[in-house]
Amino acid sequence: MIPLYITQYDGKILPQNKVSSATNVHEARVALGTRLRELRQQVKMTGRQLAESLSWQPSKVSKIENGKQTPSDDDIRAWTRATGSEDQTDNLLASLHTLEARHAEWQRLFRTGFRPRQNELAELDQKTRFFRVFEATVIPGLLQTAEYARARYAEGIRLLKLPNDINTAVEGRMKRQDMFYRPEKRFHFVITEAALYFRMCQPAVMLGQLDRLVSLAALPNVKLGIIAFDTYYTASPWHGFWIYDDHKVIVETFSAGLNLAQPQEIELYGSIFEELAAIASYGREARSLITKAVDHVSAQLPES
């Protein structure tokens, strides 16, 4: 189960996003307007005074503050200058930039198949130099074999009733793995030992996947940590997430993907990742956990 998100603006807790994409966008727009109103009130300016100082119609200030109009980048910068709160500009812009992209519903995003999502991720891959990834139940996409990826895509097609473009999707995912051989890219993966055992594909497929983990973990720019079953968690492994440099966090649920870009959110997920990474096993110990999983899965193979 994915917990509902509680978003923070400058340390203030805002309502949880929990219904639809439209509701999420509206709540985020209202929250942004509320924060802008607070900045105006802190310097004891009326809405009319602010509008006059910016050569705006008074109605524009009212619409922005009440979540009826989305401000532009220039509007945010002008607002913070006029209210003497330019130190808040970056956080407010981050909130604005994620307003419409915060909640991407899979049914809408994948209505023509998986290719658009693969293209979007490939573009993000090109811009990212350091990937931090935590997964609690599955092998991370970039570490998957073609056969394991095929099983994951088949699940998505069945559950979401999507167009079947598995071959194209698998090809795209395998192409993304070319990044591992670019020395300027760095990867830190943390998974639970449970992810080595969940039966979400045939045993033979899982054996190939476990072997793939060992080989990729040996690459100089890849760090793979595995949290053993008997490890005491200091941060709960609620769900998987991907951190792209210090610019974006992506969280995937059954119905949607969440794109988080506010500095507070990225800092929070970075801290959680560090806690999870600190309790993981690496190197020889990680390989030992994989070997144990190989023995377990091998016992499930039919006798020849």
Side-chain angles (χ1 to χ4, degrees), residues 54 56 60 64 70-82 89 93 96-97:
L54 298 174
W56 291 355
K60 180 174 179 176
I64 289 175
T70 302
S72 67
D73 285 22
D74 288 341
D75 291 340
I76 293 289
R77 294 189 180 97
W79 197 295
T80 55
R81 276 198 307 272
T89 302
L93 286 174
L96 174 64
H97 295 160

Side-chain angles (χ1 to χ4, degrees), residues 190-238:
V190 176
I191 63 176
T192 67
E193 187 177 2
L196 307 178
Y197 289 85
F198 277 121
R199 298 182 63 173
M200 295 188 291
C201 59
Q202 294 299 314
V205 172
M206 195 63 194
L207 283 177
Q209 179 61 71
L210 294 173
D211 182 68
R212 178 69 168 160
L213 285 182
V214 174
S215 61
L216 287 177
L219 295 175
N221 57 341
V222 175
K223 187 175 184 180
L224 174 64
I226 302 175
I227 303 176
F229 282 127
D230 58 358
T231 301
Y232 176 78
Y233 282 83
T234 57
S236 300
W238 281 108

Side-chain angles (χ1 to χ4, degrees), residues 74-103:
D74 288 341
D75 291 340
I76 293 289
R77 294 189 180 97
W79 197 295
T80 55
R81 276 198 307 272
T83 57
S85 50
E86 290 176 283
D87 59 326
Q88 298 297 312
T89 302
D90 289 343
N91 284 346
L92 291 167
L93 286 174
S95 301
L96 174 64
H97 295 160
T98 59
L99 186 59
E100 301 296 338
R102 184 173 190 82
H103 185 281

Side-chain angles (χ1 to χ4, degrees), residues 157-219:
I157 288 170
R158 178 176 55 82
L159 292 177
L160 299 176
K161 299 177 174 57
L162 303 176
N164 188 341
D165 64 343
I166 279 187
N167 291 336
T168 300
V170 171
E171 181 182 354
R173 178 161 290 182
M174 295 304 101
K175 181 64 177 177
R176 289 177 61 210
Q177 294 182 6
D178 290 347
M179 290 190 298
F180 287 130
Y181 307 100
R182 294 174 55 181
E184 75 275 13
K185 303 279 191 182
R186 293 189 300 123
F187 306 85
H188 188 170
F189 297 94
V190 176
I191 63 176
T192 67
E193 187 177 2
L196 307 178
Y197 289 85
F198 277 121
R199 298 182 63 173
M200 295 188 291
C201 59
Q202 294 299 314
V205 172
M206 195 63 194
L207 283 177
Q209 179 61 71
L210 294 173
D211 182 68
R212 178 69 168 160
L213 285 182
V214 174
S215 61
L216 287 177
L219 295 175

Side-chain angles (χ1 to χ4, degrees), residues 2 18 20 52 63 80 87 103 115 120 122 130 136-137 146 154 158 167-168 171 203 220 266-267 279 298:
I2 302 298
K18 54 186 177 182
S20 66
E52 289 177 354
K63 288 178 180 178
T80 55
D87 59 326
H103 185 281
R115 172 56 71 87
E120 178 184 323
F130 183 34
T137 60
R158 178 176 55 82
N167 291 336
T168 300
E171 181 182 354
I266 295 171
E267 182 179 357
I279 61 173
S298 295

